């Protein structure tokens, strides 16, 4: 697949192979973008932000609604792409697609009701009979950095909100799983979003991520990934809005009055889904001594039955 940069689909001489983690077969290739592609993407995004700012909330809502409908029509195709590049089973991949479509549908709702506040000013000297008001305005260019474990849903979490708010967005998907994001960009364009409003660059964090994060034309960064990378992005970002989602550390605590059958079912469902690569998965099980052995007896056959 090609990258989408400055309103056009772009190839580069150097390619990145996208590999199926199940059998190591090469599924596709994507461009290995660098500083030149970054600069062109940002130049287009600045113009795209102007276009998006001038669109009405109603128009943004209608476009997002069409995207959600189209995603639901393409569930099987998108799920197979996710399964091939990320490795999750098709059932989990289909769930990701339908959830991602719901995220876009919710973004369509929010596009119509973004507003400010009216504030009484009579709590300050000279404020009697006066009102203040706030307006929400677009940030401008939003840089969305997404991880491999939910390559469509987490893109939608960032891009849906950005477009609903009247921004342009530059997506940097995980290098291992870029195909879902690129297919999502195709859907956005098919459903009426301006080509300059969305770019998607494929490449390494050092060659693509760092220069995008540091560039003053980017006014907002949204990142999901590891703590160390998040800290690095904050250091290079400078004075811009930054949102970090840096995983979790999730214990499941089992007390002596727990229903061990339910505990075991929850542990298998939340600890092993997507091979455990879920921010809110069960990452540690802490059981009181009284039920520890019994819990192992119930849990072990359920884990052994996993395929």
């Amino acid at each position: 697949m090609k990258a989408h940069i400055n309103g056009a689909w772009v190839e580069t001489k150097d390619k990145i192979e996208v590999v199926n983690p199940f059998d190591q077969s090469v599924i596709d290739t994507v461009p290995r973008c660098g500083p030149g592609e970054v600069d062109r993407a940002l130049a287009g995004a600045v113009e795209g932000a102007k276009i998006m700012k001038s669109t009405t909330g109603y128009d943004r809502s209608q476009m997002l609604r069409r995207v959600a409908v189209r995603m639901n029509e393409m569930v099987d195709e998108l799920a197979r792409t996710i399964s091939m590049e990320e490795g999750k089973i098709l059932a989990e991949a289909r769930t990701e697609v339908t959830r991602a479509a719901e995220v876009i549908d919710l973004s369509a709702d929010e596009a119509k009701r973004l507003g400010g506040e009216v504030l009484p000013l009579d709590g300050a000297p000279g404020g009697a009979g006066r009102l203040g008001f706030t307006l929400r305005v677009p940030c401008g260019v939003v840089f969305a950095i997404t991880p491999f474990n939910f390559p469509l849903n987490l893109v939608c979490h960032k891009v849906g909100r950005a477009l609903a708010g009247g921004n342009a967005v530059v997506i940097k998907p995980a290098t291992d799983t870029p195909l879902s994001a690129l297919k999502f960009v195709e859907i956005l364009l098919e459903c009426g979003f301006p080509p300059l409003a969305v770019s998607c660059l494929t490449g390494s964090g050092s060659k693509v991520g760092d220069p995008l994060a540091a560039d003053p034309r980017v006014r907002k960064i949204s990142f999901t990934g590891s703590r160390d990378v998040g800290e690095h992005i904050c250091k290079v970002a400078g004075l811009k809005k930054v949102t970090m989602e840096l995983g979790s550390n999730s214990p499941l605590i089992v007390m002596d009055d727990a229903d061990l059958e339910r505990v075991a079912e929850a542990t298998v469902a939340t600890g092993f889904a997507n091979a455990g690569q879920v921010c809110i998965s069960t990452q540690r099980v802490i059981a009181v001594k009284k039920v520890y052995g019994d819990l192992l007896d119930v849990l072990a056959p359920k884990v052994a039955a996993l395929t």
Side-chain angles (χ1 to χ4, degrees), residues 45-65:
V46 168
E47 296 305 311
K50 295 175 184 176
I51 296 169
M52 288 301 297
K53 186 177 181 179
S54 69
T55 62
T56 66
Y58 176 80
D59 288 339
R60 298 194 298 269
S61 176
Q62 292 295 101
M63 288 186 283
L64 286 164
R65 197 80 71 199

Side-chain angles (χ1 to χ4, degrees), residues 164-179:
N167 302 283
V169 61
V170 179
I171 309 163
K172 197 282 183 197
T175 305
D176 289 339
T177 55
L179 303 180

Side-chain angles (χ1 to χ4, degrees), residues 254-258 260 287-296:
V254 187
M255 304 303 289
D256 59 8
D257 61 346
L260 298 185
V288 298
K289 192 174 295 186
K290 181 178 178 181
V291 299
Y292 181 84
D294 292 338
L295 176 59
L296 288 181

Side-chain angles (χ1 to χ4, degrees), residues 86-258:
E86 195 270 351
K88 66 181 61 172
I89 62 173
L90 277 172
E92 291 177 3
R94 289 191 186 99
T95 298
E96 178 175 348
V97 177
T98 55
R99 181 174 173 181
E102 184 178 1
V103 167
I104 295 300
D105 203 46
L106 289 168
S107 299
D109 291 338
E110 291 303 316
K112 295 193 291 186
R113 54 181 178 231
L114 289 169
E117 294 181 274
V118 176
L119 306 168
L121 300 181
D122 60 357
R130 297 175 184 269
L131 296 173
F133 66 91
T134 63
L135 296 174
R136 291 186 180 273
V137 297
C139 292
V141 177
V142 175
F143 177 28
I145 314 165
T146 57
F148 78 97
N149 57 338
F150 287 89
L152 179 62
N153 187 47
L154 289 175
V155 168
C156 290
H157 267 270
K158 300 177 188 303
V159 175
R161 273 73 163 163
L163 295 175
N167 302 283
V169 61
V170 179
I171 309 163
K172 197 282 183 197
T175 305
D176 289 339
T177 55
L179 303 180
S180 303
L182 291 168
K183 283 184 176 291
F184 179 61
V185 172
E186 290 178 348
I187 295 171
L188 290 171
L189 299 178
E190 176 188 334
C191 293
F193 277 99
L196 291 177
V198 185
S199 288
C200 187
L201 278 71
T202 49
S204 69
S206 61
K207 297 293 176 60
V208 174
D210 281 2
L212 278 166
D215 197 291
R217 287 172 289 185
V218 170
R219 301 310 305 144
K220 163 77 179 182
I221 299 174
S222 178
F223 170 74
T224 299
S226 71
R227 191 205 69 88
D228 289 348
V229 175
E231 184 177 41
H232 172 74
I233 291 170
C234 287
K235 288 178 179 177
V236 303
L239 293 176
K240 52 176 66 82
K241 295 176 182 291
V242 177
T243 299
M244 296 281 122
E245 183 195 359
L246 306 179
S248 72
N249 190 353
S250 306
L252 175 63
I253 301 172
V254 187
M255 304 303 289
D256 59 8
D257 61 346

